[in-house]
Amino acid sequence: MIIMKFGGTLMGSAQAIQHSAGLVAHTVQQGERAVAVVSAMSGVTDTLIKVAGSAENGDIAFANDELALLRNRHLNTAHELGAAPDSHTMLEIRELLETLRQTVVGVYLLRELSPRSRDLIVSFGERLSAPLMAIALQQLGVHAHNLTGGQAGILTDQHFGNARPLPEAFDRIPARLEGLFGAGITPVVAGFIGETKEGAITTLGRGGTDYTATIIGAALKADEVWAWKDVDGVMTTDPRMVPEAQNIQHLSYAEIMELAFFGAKVLHPLAVTPLQEHAIPLRVKSAADPSFAGTLITGKAVRNKPVKAVTAIRQVSIITVGGALVGVPETVAEIFDTLARAQIPVLMISQSSSMANVSLVIQNAYARKAMSELKAAFAKADLVRDFEFQENIAVVAIVGEGMRGARGIAAKLFSALAEEGINLLMISQGSSEFNISLAIEDRDVAKAVQAAHKAFELEKAD
Ligand SMILES: Nc1ncnc2c1ncn2[C@@H]1O[C@H](COP(=O)(O)OP(=O)(O)O)[C@@H](O)[C@H]1O
Ligand SMILES: N[C@@H](CC(=O)OP(=O)(O)O)C(=O)O
């Protein structure tokens, strides 16, 4: 049993979908069971988020124009894939497009967009692409049936926008899919979305289709999960920033989580978590070159070199809380409590040894809110007086389990950046010792990533 994930680029046009379907068909025709898990066509999720926002703000003309483009794109793609105008799938796509339109009109009339209604609108991207993959598979002679995340058994909590699977999902998924396998049907599951116990649609966070695939993989105890990509695999850094980036042959679950957390766009940060318990391997493979092994991700750490990859997160800010924090540990606890209550994730933390201040790196999307929550929490405390806010920050991280116990790694990184004249604003090393992260000014990010990549000789193939 192989679970295969296809992202937006690999679902981006009729031609791309045909190629992706060919990869599934190849496996099924070898007698292997497969589940295809698909993302929305490229750009569709972003468009739906904009459409939802413009309906809320009363700009229905913009929403209508974008919906018309989405309608044409999906109907034309279905047609190009060979769906007959009166076929069941074509009817399903038309119905979905109409329900989407009505939902957007509802938001416009109410001028109200809750996280729940935003998730409902955004879910149409994947709900519309799954039937397209089913059509392409049918054309290749593979019996296929498309399902939403909820229909496939992905039961989640109610955390709209960032939902997590409930333990029951892992029993429900096999119950929902095994009947299809029994009938020789390949399930095509809409990625990124799940359903609460009450039947409301949730999303698993941006890039969540990887997570859908691994949740299904764990629930079905699949042999492997394959995330097909438009790159050779997980690379030593973002190939768009450093063209010399190389494919990494092997990563551990811990290493990929660290990479994803520190900004490598290639996988959802939680994607491997469901696989760990059953030690199911995840492969990141190139759709353009399916015979290439890509990256194999397992529980085992291969320490062939200390640093495996360099990543960067942009669009972050530093908040520094200062004053007389010395000897008042409750103040530090209050800082983290306040952020936790407001559900604001913190990317990096540093505390001066005198406890005179605490600096936090926070994504721009949450930074203003973090600042106002902290100011409000300490409004009556005389001890905490200074709040500093630095914008245009980036975090660069190096990752590798081989760093543990290796000497001179930090020194090499710092001197490589010093040679480029890059100023380090914050430094942090995880206690696990397999990442070092640095906050720098955003304008230095490309130079810093290139310098770190070169210093650890990552342009040399494994
Ligand atoms: N370390 C990395 N390894 C591979 N790709 C990376 C890395 N960092 C950033 N990327 C970028 O991530 C892209 C793949 O992610 P994404 O487009 O979200 O995939 P998908 O839509 O298939 O899930 C690549 O095209 C690449 O530019
Ligand atoms: N469509 C969703 C989910 C996803 O995983 O997409 P992709 O595989 O194209 O990154 C998003 O854009 O976030």
Side-chain angles (χ1 to χ4, degrees):
M1 162 92 64
I2 310 282
I3 315 300
M4 295 196 182
K5 182 261 167 165
F6 299 93
T9 314
L10 301 180
M11 294 296 294
S13 64
Q15 212 185 4
I17 297 171
Q18 271 159 347
H19 180 78
S20 300
L23 297 169
V24 180
H26 179 76
T27 294
V28 172
Q29 280 154 2
Q30 285 177 337
E32 185 85 69
R33 285 180 173 181
V35 179
V37 180
V38 300
S39 295
M41 296 181 85
S42 49
V44 169
T45 305
D46 288 336
T47 302
L48 289 169
I49 292 171
K50 276 195 231 143
V51 163
S54 63
E56 182 192 19
N57 296 328
D59 189 355
I60 196 67
F62 173 86
N64 279 338
D65 289 350
E66 291 295 326
L67 289 178
L69 293 173
L70 284 182
R71 183 185 168 83
N72 286 343
R73 184 169 175 200
H74 286 89
L75 291 175
N76 289 343
T77 305
H79 175 73
E80 282 174 57
L81 289 171
D86 55 353
S87 63
H88 170 78
T89 320
M90 207 59 155
L91 208 69
E92 184 184 352
I93 294 174
R94 284 181 187 283
E95 268 180 28
L96 282 168
L97 288 163
E98 179 52 20
T99 315
L100 167 62
R101 195 191 63 79
Q102 288 175 6
T103 313
V104 171
V105 170
V107 169
Y108 166 69
L109 292 174
L110 292 166
R111 299 287 200 281
E112 189 181 82
L113 181 67
S114 62
R116 178 177 168 152
S117 23
R118 184 185 286 112
D119 270 5
L120 177 60
I121 291 179
V122 165
S123 75
F124 283 94
E126 273 70 11
R127 288 159 74 192
L128 282 162
S129 67
L132 298 174
M133 173 60 96
I135 299 169
L137 285 170
Q138 301 278 12
Q139 295 288 338
L140 294 173
V142 174
H143 294 302
H145 179 67
N146 55 284
L147 303 104
T148 64
Q151 288 167 339
I154 302 194
L155 207 59
T156 73
D157 61 21
Q158 308 208 18
H159 196 198
F160 294 100
N162 222 359
R164 297 287 164 259
L166 296 177
E168 297 96 295
F170 294 89
D171 299 325
R172 192 181 277 218
I173 293 165
R176 294 286 173 94
L177 298 185
E178 257 148 26
L180 293 176
F181 290 126
I185 295 170
T186 298
V188 177
V189 179
F192 182 48
I193 58 176
E195 213 170 271
T196 65
K197 280 185 181 153
E198 293 70 38
I201 290 191
T202 51
T203 62
L204 303 173
R206 294 306 304 267
T209 306
D210 298 319
Y211 199 18
T212 304
T214 55
I215 293 167
I216 292 178
L220 296 179
K221 303 197 175 55
D223 296 299
E224 293 193 356
V225 177
W226 294 0
W228 292 99
K229 296 277 162 177
D230 63 346
V231 273
D232 280 349
V234 181
M235 310 292 282
T236 49
T237 194
D238 188 342
R240 288 172 295 195
M241 208 179 266
V242 182
E244 297 79 26
Q246 297 287 323
N247 175 57
I248 306 171
Q249 286 180 16
H250 190 276
L251 284 169
S252 65
Y253 295 135
E255 285 172 327
I256 191 69
M257 266 194 270
E258 211 72 23
L259 280 173
F261 180 79
F262 282 108
K265 275 272 150 35
V266 67
L267 276 178
H268 187 286
L270 295 179
V272 293
T273 52
L275 302 181
Q276 287 176 295
E277 188 186 339
H278 306 289
I280 298 170
L282 170 63
R283 278 183 201 277
V284 180
K285 284 178 68 71
S286 160
D289 188 5
S291 60
F292 184 69
T295 302
L296 176 63
I297 303 168
T298 65
K300 206 173 103 207
V302 176
R303 297 188 176 85
N304 55 339
K305 42 171 105 165
V307 175
K308 293 245 180 99
V310 183
T311 58
I313 313 183
R314 305 184 74 166
Q315 297 179 347
V316 297
S317 301
I318 298 179
I319 294 179
T320 302
V321 183
L325 308 193
V326 187
V328 194
E330 296 79 14
T331 310
V332 179
E334 179 64 21
I335 294 175
F336 292 109
D337 271 357
T338 304
L339 296 174
R341 271 197 307 272
Q343 302 212 329
I344 295 173
V346 182
L347 293 173
M348 254 176 98
I349 301 159
S350 115
Q351 182 180 21
S352 65
S353 53
S354 66
M355 281 177 76
N357 62 48
V358 173
S359 297
L360 312 156
V361 176
I362 297 192
Q363 290 161 51
N364 284 353
Y366 299 101
R368 297 270 165 209
K369 184 168 179 220
M371 193 71 170
S372 59
E373 296 279 345
L374 288 169
K375 280 189 173 166
F378 291 107
K380 292 202 193 80
D382 323 327
L383 294 180
V384 183
R385 288 183 300 268
D386 309 321
F387 294 89
E388 207 186 304
F389 191 77
Q390 276 172 282
E391 283 178 298
N392 300 320
I393 302 297
V395 173
V396 170
I398 55 171
V399 174
E401 290 211 41
M403 277 162 65
R404 188 177 291 157
R407 286 166 187 228
I409 304 295
K412 193 184 248 188
L413 176 64
F414 298 158
S415 58
L417 300 199
E419 269 172 40
E420 295 294 327
I422 297 167
N423 190 21
L424 308 183
L425 304 170
M426 266 170 80
I427 300 169
S428 151
Q429 176 172 33
S431 59
S432 55
E433 266 192 70
F434 53 82
N435 88 69
I436 297 176
S437 50
L438 309 169
I440 58 171
E441 301 210 29
D442 186 73
R443 60 164 188 258
D444 291 331
V445 72
K447 247 191 328 183
V449 169
Q450 281 153 7
H453 196 262
K454 195 144 183 257
F456 294 101
E457 300 186 1
L458 298 181
E459 73 283 4
K460 293 189 185 151
D462 275 359

